[in-house]
Amino acid sequence: MQFSELKKKFIYVLKNKNIRLCIAESITGGLFSSELIKIRGASSYVDYSLVTYSNKSKEKILQFKDEIKKYGTVSSQVAKVMVKNVRRFSDSKNLLSISCTGYASKNEDKNCIVGNVFIGIMYNDIIKVYNQKFKETNRTKIIRLTTENMMKLSLNFITEHCKE
C-alpha cells in the first residue's frame, strides 16, 4: 500500500471509530503528526503531539524517572513510558497514544544501532511496544520508514483492539 493510501485509511478508521490521538515523537521529530495534520479536519482526530527529542525534554515533559539511565534512550521501556505518560494531558475517553524512539544515525552512544526503533501504542489499558530494525542507513529514510510503520502498526492495533 502506498503511503498516501495508508494515511487516508488510517485517518478514515480514526474518524469512523471516533478515536483521538496523542503522540510522543522522538526519532521522527514531528513528521508523524505533520503527515496527519496536512489533511483537512485533523483536529477531529489529533488531540495533540509532543516532540521530545532530547533526554532532558523526555524527563521533564513525559516525567521519566530513571528509565533512560537504566535502559537507554532507545529501548522498549522508554517507548512504553512515553506512550503511557503522553496520555496524561488528554480528557478524551476514546484515546490512542503512540510513541517512537530510535536511532536514525550514529551518535556518541556506544550501544547505537542505526535503524533500531521502538514504537509504542496504547489504547485503554492495552500497551504494545514494537521493535523495528530497519536495514536502511540513510537518516531521512529511517525517519520516513518509522513514520510509515507507526501508521501501519497503529492501524493493525486499532483493528485488533478497538472494537467500537
Side-chain angles (χ1 to χ4, degrees):
M1 180 182 307
Q2 295 286 351
F3 182 67
S4 61
E5 293 170 15
L6 172 66
K7 183 167 54 171
K8 284 178 188 173
K9 184 174 182 181
F10 181 55
I11 291 168
Y12 173 80
V13 169
L14 291 172
K15 286 180 170 183
N16 192 44
K17 293 184 176 281
N18 201 28
I19 295 172
R20 305 276 301 165
L21 287 177
C22 36
I23 307 152
E25 296 183 72
S26 183
I27 183 174
T28 53
L31 181 63
F32 179 78
S33 46
S34 173
E35 286 294 334
L36 293 175
I37 63 167
K38 286 179 185 177
I39 307 300
R40 188 175 183 191
S43 61
S44 68
Y45 52 88
V46 175
D47 207 355
Y48 55 86
S49 175
L50 303 173
V51 177
T52 53
Y53 203 73
S54 71
N55 286 350
K56 196 166 266 193
S57 69
K58 286 178 188 70
E59 290 167 3
K60 281 187 170 192
I61 297 168
L62 296 174
Q63 297 186 331
F64 278 78
K65 292 195 170 79
D66 297 320
E67 289 85 0
I68 291 174
K69 289 177 191 152
K70 190 172 181 180
Y71 303 107
T73 306
V74 177
S75 63
S76 62
Q77 294 87 350
V78 165
K80 185 175 182 178
V81 172
M82 288 174 73
V83 82
K84 283 174 68 175
N85 291 0
V86 73
R87 302 169 70 83
R88 69 186 171 91
F89 301 108
S90 180
D91 294 330
S92 178
K93 302 292 183 241
N94 198 22
L95 188 66
L96 182 75
S97 56
I98 306 168
S99 69
C100 63
T101 183
Y103 295 116
S105 58
K106 280 284 186 201
N107 64 28
E108 66 280 348
D109 184 343
K110 63 181 187 276
N111 297 318
C112 171
I113 300 170
V114 175
N116 190 31
V117 174
F118 290 91
I119 297 169
I121 304 173
M122 182 174 182
Y123 181 78
N124 291 335
D125 293 330
I126 304 165
I127 300 173
K128 179 83 173 154
V129 177
Y130 303 88
N131 184 204
Q132 306 289 285
K133 295 182 187 218
F134 302 117
K135 296 191 187 309
E136 183 61 57
T137 57
N138 177 284
R139 179 178 179 76
T140 305
K141 288 182 181 176
I142 291 169
I143 293 168
R144 184 58 145 176
L145 286 168
T146 301
T147 299
E148 289 178 22
N149 275 269
M150 288 169 74
M151 279 189 205
K152 284 180 193 171
L153 293 169
S154 295
L155 193 52
N156 291 339
F157 189 91
I158 290 168
T159 302
E160 185 177 340
H161 298 291
C162 307
K163 302 301 180 193
E164 293 103 49

